[in-house]
Amino acid sequence: MNFDKKYGAAAAMVMLLSFVSTSYAAFDENLQGYTLDTILVEADATKDKFGNTITEQSYYRTGGDVKVITREEIEKRHYTDLTEAIKRIPGVTFQNPGYRGGEYGYEFYNNGVSINGDTRVIILVDGRRVDNAASTRISSRSTSGSKSTGVNLDQVTNMANVEKIEVIKGPGASVYGADALGGVINIITRKGGNDNVGSIDLATGSWDKHKYALSYSGSAGNDKSWHYFISANRDMSGDTKYKDGYTGTTGTLGGSKWKEDGVNLRIDKDFNEKQSLKIWYNFKQGKDGYPIATPSLRYWNQDDWQRIIFNAAIGQLDENNKLVGGKLSGDAKNPGYHNLYALDGAAYGSFSRFKNNDWDITYTFDKENGMESFVRIYDQNHRYAHRDKYKWNLATADDYKTLFPNGATNEQLQQWISENLAPFPGGDKDILKEWVAKTGGAASEPTSWREEKNRGIQLQYAKSVGVNDIIASITYDKAKNFSKSISNKDNSVTTSHVDRKTIRGYIQDKIHINDKWDITPAIRYSKYSSFETTNAAGRTQGKGDTHEITPVINTQYMFDDTSSMYLGWTRVFRPLRQGDYTTNDGVFKTPLLDEKGDAWTLGIRKDISDKTSLAVHYDWTKMSNAIATLPIWDDSKDEFSNTAVNAKEDKKSFNITADHRFDDHVMLSASYSHMKDEWKAKNGWILDPNWGYQNSSDINVAINSLRPQNHYSLNLSYENRKLYTGLLTNWYTGCSDYAFTNNRFLVLDWNLNYEITKDMTAYVVVTNLTNEAYETSYNSWNGVGSSAMPSRCVMVGMQYKF
């Protein structure tokens, strides 16, 4: 089925849903009323005249496809983390195969998020970027792995601290950065209200998963001008279970247990209607196992284990068990290869640690027409460490050849393997413990770690002048990435660090042409300094000095009280990372250039009736300088060679959403999303016409085959006095057999919320209700199904408010 036909079918499906009846349906769930800066917003005031949901940050936007998850929805659906909350939003996918940890610098072993197929997503807290310009947190290079800004979404803050989550698709809010090509996820924190209230939330469920959360907020002073919010939480889990896509059986992901703690504090002082002070502190830390991959259960047996580990650690045997070939690595050469990673997690207990200490002080000195003028200073201190330990063998290939120069009997081979190679982790546990003990024991505390420090100051001034709402801001940011290790000789700590300074300037003018039409031109300046490295040898200045001016224009128009549209264009600029300068620039030794391009967005909203709403969003990105690893003809080798180059990228995405309220109790939201990428070589280079999936571990290169082609979603909710229940259906189709265990996946999540008394609520949350076997990502080295998502998980909890 071609691209246009898919759009037509999806549009017909959603239009049919739209016309079945009449009701008012907001584009965001639970907008009956919510809090906006301690002010209770009534249902009829939650949206502006164009249909945009109003939030503390909405004055930056002019149109765009924006979804808002409110505090009310978070509490009714009992989301345990940020990725769980945003997965109901059309076009948003994430990689989270059942464990929380990850190895620093490796995207595929960390949680990742994409919007409309693009991982270039900016994460914000209260409108402030939380990435570090010198970080190598999630892949140090743009040429492979994720192109994200290096933020693990689930490690930003705990859910008790979240008032709302804005998800902005595409670069529609350009104030946040010219590199927000995929979109923006803005976490708006909670501010204490006028009344003193507290909450205790306890839950337990599958896999010894537990949740403990406490929060208290309120106001102080005779005029109640002081507001405070404090929360503390602990979340923990035993080893996750997963459903294998090939065998249909459920397995345990050994070594995936985790425990995370968090504390948040926010103090606000309202001096008057226009001036206020905010002091915010965020602490979060965790010790998380990371088993790297979910074992393939079709190879999870004693015989296959011995085949896999012998081929990987020793070499290849002939029919007489004579060593005749070298080692075999990777799933393609050695099927089930990634099962060996079970030694890291299940046997040796490999793990990662992180600790975040963040603070932010903002003084708002003026408020006008919904806009704020403020000065903000902030500081981020993040520490990451991991310990990956494993031991495959005690003997070598030479030892085997010396003992069996002409081959061995099957009995001799089995005996040699049992004495010299790691035992099967799914077998005798005592034998496995004995192996771990004689090879040095389990993973100990890390002796090296990374510390990312980020300090900055931001000044924003906003003013209404006639029909013009003008916002100007400038931010200075100094990022450092420390690498530290403990010496084995004298326990001294050696350290080196990389610095990068950033200046971002921005000015926007939202022009109210008339009551129906706004147009917002903006211009942004971004300046990145060179990467500067300081170590024992001294200070060296590397590459990276770059700057760019990026214009933006957005507009929205209201046809009548029931329909509106938006249109936008932005110039894209994404600077190279440090790793792009320190690695080989390809077989042609051609220096890589910063990513640049143009992005257009177009959307239409329509209230079909007072009960049914329809929204269509389309964006088109043409990158003239996107970075990719592509097979290019190499004259020196007379063959095609994979190399990192600046290529052309043509990306299109399409979302259509219909919201329908049947009555006062039942609401349905239906959506369809489709993304398509085309990559082309530039500068006269010849791209291999037969290229299919080389370097397919880079999801940004072979993206059309390495992610589901189509995403359908149905979100059904029912509310009647004390009872609230919701069912989320995600249906992924068009999945390539090359990258997935099936070409379609149907995943259901369900929750039930019942108010026992005014202050006590009981709830049940079930994720993956039908225990579907599915994946959202693929890695060619580890093979198909190596990132299986968690199986059914049931959580039962109680929330008490006091």
Side-chain angles (χ1 to χ4, degrees):
M1 184 181 291
N2 64 33
F3 196 64
D4 293 333
K5 288 182 179 179
K6 289 176 180 177
Y7 283 172
M13 177 198 76
V14 178
M15 287 296 288
L16 179 62
L17 286 170
S18 301
F19 284 107
V20 294
S21 153
T22 62
S23 83
Y24 176 78
F27 294 113
D28 299 307
E29 187 179 347
N30 292 308
L31 283 179
Q32 293 84 359
Y34 61 86
T35 301
L36 182 65
D37 194 17
T38 73
I39 300 172
L40 182 62
V41 180
E42 300 300 331
D44 57 358
T46 58
K47 289 182 175 289
D48 65 18
K49 60 187 178 182
F50 298 103
N52 304 303
T53 300
I54 299 171
T55 71
E56 292 86 342
Q57 298 280 314
S58 57
Y59 55 78
Y60 286 122
R61 301 187 251 110
T62 300
D65 188 3
V66 182
K67 304 297 179 187
V68 177
I69 298 171
T70 66
R71 183 68 210 172
E72 183 179 1
E73 178 181 343
I74 292 171
E75 293 194 353
K76 286 181 176 178
R77 298 226 172 193
H78 299 281
Y79 301 127
T80 56
D81 53 47
L82 289 162
T83 52
E84 188 176 297
I86 66 173
K87 73 178 180 180
R88 77 159 181 85
I89 296 175
V92 175
T93 58
F94 63 95
Q95 172 187 311
N96 183 17
Y99 55 93
R100 306 282 288 205
E103 190 167 335
Y104 187 94
Y106 289 87
E107 186 268 340
F108 281 101
Y109 307 146
N110 292 269
N111 290 343
V113 63
S114 68
I115 299 178
N116 282 341
D118 201 315
T119 58
R120 289 167 282 205
V121 175
I122 302 298
I123 311 298
L124 312 167
V125 172
D126 291 331
R128 176 179 61 81
R129 294 174 61 131
V130 295
D131 54 299
N132 183 304
S135 172
T136 52
R137 174 70 180 96
I138 301 178
S139 184
S140 60
R141 293 179 292 166
S142 303
T143 55
S144 62
S146 172
K147 294 186 180 182
S148 73
T149 51
V151 177
N152 187 327
L153 185 61
D154 285 331
Q155 292 181 357
V156 174
T157 189
N158 63 69
M159 288 300 294
N161 184 43
V162 178
E163 179 67 27
K164 301 180 192 71
I165 306 170
E166 285 183 310
V167 179
I168 307 169
K169 298 179 185 177
S174 55
V175 62
Y176 300 129
D179 52 342
L181 186 56
V184 172
I185 298 173
N186 186 20
I187 302 162
I188 299 173
T189 62
R190 297 178 71 180
K191 177 181 178 180
N194 291 326
D195 299 326
N196 295 338
V197 295
S199 174
I200 298 175
D201 196 342
L202 305 175
T204 187
S206 304
W207 323 322
D208 292 326
K209 196 173 183 179
H210 307 293
K211 170 187 174 183
Y212 312 92
L214 170 68
S215 66
Y216 193 76
S217 65
S219 60
N222 294 331
D223 57 355
K224 295 188 175 182
S225 61
W226 287 95
H227 299 273
Y228 58 88
F229 174 82
I230 183 171
S231 69
N233 74 290
R234 167 167 287 182
D235 296 282
M236 57 195 301
S237 175
D239 288 343
T240 305
K241 292 186 182 295
Y242 67 99
K243 187 81 171 287
D244 185 271
Y246 284 118
T247 66
T249 55
T250 300
T252 298
L253 185 55
S256 57
K257 62 183 179 181
W258 51 269
K259 181 172 72 173
E260 295 181 357
D261 301 313
V263 174
N264 292 100
L265 173 66
R266 175 171 167 172
I267 299 174
D268 292 82
K269 167 65 175 177
D270 295 328
F271 298 103
N272 51 52
E273 291 183 355
K274 293 191 173 184
Q275 296 175 316
S276 62
L277 175 69
K278 183 192 80 172
I279 301 173
W280 177 75
Y281 171 72
N282 174 65
F283 170 81
K284 191 167 187 181
Q285 70 173 8
K287 179 180 179 181
D288 306 327
Y290 71 97
I292 302 180
T294 51
S296 293
L297 296 186
R298 57 178 173 171
Y299 301 121
W300 193 246
N301 57 73
Q302 183 75 32
D303 292 340
D304 275 309
W305 174 267
Q306 292 186 349
R307 168 188 61 81
I308 295 167
I309 197 169
F310 193 96
N311 285 339
I314 306 300
Q316 303 169 63
L317 298 172
D318 64 10
E319 63 276 8
N320 297 315
N321 295 326
K322 180 181 179 181
L323 195 62
V324 294
K327 301 176 184 178
L328 297 177
S329 301
D331 184 78
K333 296 179 179 179
N334 191 359
Y337 176 83
H338 70 270
N339 283 11
L340 297 177
Y341 301 157
L343 287 171
D344 304 51
Y348 288 90
S350 296
F351 65 94
S352 67
R353 285 191 185 274
F354 76 92
K355 180 185 291 186
N356 296 350
N357 277 286
D358 308 323
W359 58 260
D360 182 319
I361 301 176
T362 303
Y363 172 65
T364 300
F365 54 86
D366 193 23
K367 295 181 181 179
E368 187 173 359
N369 202 20
M371 304 179 297
E372 295 182 339
S373 298
F374 62 82
V375 59
R376 168 163 40 200
I377 58 174
Y378 56 89
D379 184 273
Q380 293 181 177
N381 289 274
H382 296 174
R383 173 171 169 155
Y384 303 100
H386 69 271
R387 192 58 179 247
D388 184 16
K389 185 175 182 182
Y390 60 93
K391 183 72 174 179
W392 288 355
N393 54 295
L394 295 175
T396 66
D398 289 338
D399 295 327
Y400 183 86
K401 286 191 292 185
T402 300
L403 189 61
F404 305 112
N406 299 313
T409 65
N410 289 334
E411 290 76 13
Q412 290 174 323
L413 175 63
Q414 294 296 323
Q415 181 66 28
W416 192 89
I417 289 176
S418 65
E419 294 174 353
N420 296 285
L421 301 184
F424 175 46
D428 191 307
K429 299 302 180 183
D430 292 333
I431 294 177
L432 185 63
K433 289 179 180 179
E434 182 182 337
W435 173 267
V436 171
K438 71 180 180 182
T439 54
S444 58
E445 286 300 311
T447 57
S448 63
W449 64 93
R450 297 276 186 153
E451 291 181 4
E452 296 178 2
K453 298 181 182 295
N454 203 44
R455 295 179 178 178
I457 182 169
Q458 179 184 5
L459 173 64
Q460 175 171 298
Y461 182 73
K463 187 70 176 177
S464 290
V465 182
V467 298
N468 305 81
D469 286 343
I470 302 171
I471 302 174
S473 71
I474 186 168
T475 304
Y476 173 77
D477 190 275
K478 187 173 183 179
K480 293 186 176 183
N481 182 2
F482 290 83
S483 178
K484 298 184 177 182
S485 61
I486 300 175
S487 172
N488 292 327
K489 294 181 179 180
D490 56 7
N491 289 327
S492 62
V493 177
T494 59
T495 182
S496 65
H497 68 270
V498 177
D499 297 8
R500 197 177 205 190
K501 304 177 185 68
T502 306
I503 298 175
R504 298 185 180 97
Y506 176 81
I507 185 167
Q508 165 184 299
D509 183 10
K510 183 176 289 188
I511 307 169
H512 305 289
I513 304 297
N514 53 46
D515 291 341
K516 294 186 175 183
W517 187 16
D518 283 358
I519 184 170
T520 308
I523 192 166
R524 183 176 187 88
Y525 175 73
S526 303
K527 172 71 170 69
Y528 296 84
S529 73
S530 300
F531 292 99
E532 297 181 359
T533 302
T534 302
N535 53 32
R539 188 175 183 85
T540 60
Q541 183 170 336
K543 297 180 180 180
D545 185 78
T546 184
H547 63 90
E548 189 75 12
I549 295 176
T550 50
V552 182
I553 187 166
N554 289 290
T555 187
Q556 55 186 348
Y557 182 79
M558 183 175 66
F559 298 103
D560 53 41
D561 292 340
T562 66
S563 58
S564 64
M565 70 168 292
Y566 56 86
L567 178 67
W569 165 78
T570 184
R571 182 69 176 163
V572 178
F573 170 64
R574 181 182 177 277
L576 294 172
R577 300 183 181 188
Q578 183 192 16
D580 297 316
Y581 295 107
T582 57
T583 56
N584 191 318
D585 283 320
V587 296
F588 304 104
K589 311 298 181 187
T590 304
L592 295 173
L593 304 175
D594 297 322
E595 290 193 307
K596 296 181 181 180
D598 298 274
W600 292 265
T601 58
L602 171 66
I604 299 174
R605 304 185 184 98
K606 174 65 178 177
D607 289 338
I608 306 299
S609 69
D610 63 347
K611 290 187 175 181
T612 305
S613 296
L614 180 70
V616 178
H617 173 82
Y618 175 80
D619 66 56
W620 178 28
T621 302
K622 289 186 71 68
M623 296 294 292
S624 58
N625 253 13
I627 297 174
T629 299
L630 298 174
I632 306 293
W633 182 257
D634 186 358
D635 289 327
S636 64
K637 296 182 179 179
D638 197 32
E639 63 181 15
F640 289 100
S641 298
N642 290 338
T643 183
V645 296
N646 283 109
K648 296 178 181 179
E649 178 189 11
D650 194 337
K651 182 174 75 73
K652 301 181 180 73
S653 65
F654 177 84
N655 304 137
I656 184 167
T657 304
D659 295 298
H660 177 71
R661 182 174 291 280
F662 292 94
D663 52 36
D664 292 339
H665 307 295
V666 182
M667 180 177 172
L668 176 69
S669 178
S671 65
Y672 168 75
S673 302
H674 184 83
M675 293 77 76
K676 183 178 181 180
D677 264 15
E678 292 182 5
W679 289 81
K680 299 177 182 177
K682 57 187 294 187
N683 300 333
W685 293 334
I686 301 173
L687 183 67
D688 187 351
N690 298 315
W691 179 65
Y693 304 101
Q694 286 93 333
N695 195 50
S696 54
S697 61
D698 184 351
I699 197 169
N700 289 290
V701 176
I703 194 168
N704 295 304
S705 296
L706 303 184
R707 60 136 192 259
Q709 296 293 292
N710 308 294
H711 179 197
Y712 302 86
S713 179
L714 284 175
N715 189 21
L716 178 67
S717 62
Y718 172 82
E719 186 169 14
N720 190 355
R721 299 177 64 185
K722 297 181 178 183
L723 177 68
Y724 175 90
T725 185
L727 179 67
L728 174 64
T729 302
N730 283 303
W731 188 30
Y732 304 95
T733 69
C735 305
S736 169
D737 292 338
Y738 181 85
F740 296 95
T741 57
N742 205 331
N743 60 11
R744 61 187 62 195
F745 305 112
L746 180 66
V747 185
L748 304 179
D749 297 325
W750 173 75
N751 76 286
L752 178 68
N753 198 77
Y754 184 75
E755 188 178 292
I756 300 173
T757 67
K758 179 183 176 182
D759 299 321
M760 184 173 293
T761 300
Y763 62 88
V764 179
V765 178
V766 185
T767 54
N768 196 0
L769 181 66
T770 60
N771 205 29
E772 176 82 347
Y774 75 108
E775 311 93 41
T776 61
S777 62
Y778 165 73
N779 181 281
S780 62
W781 182 257
N782 294 336
V784 179
S786 59
S787 294
M789 296 289 278
S791 61
R792 183 190 299 114
C793 176
V794 181
M795 293 289 290
V796 178
M798 187 78 70
Q799 185 181 52
Y800 175 71
K801 295 182 179 181
F802 57 91

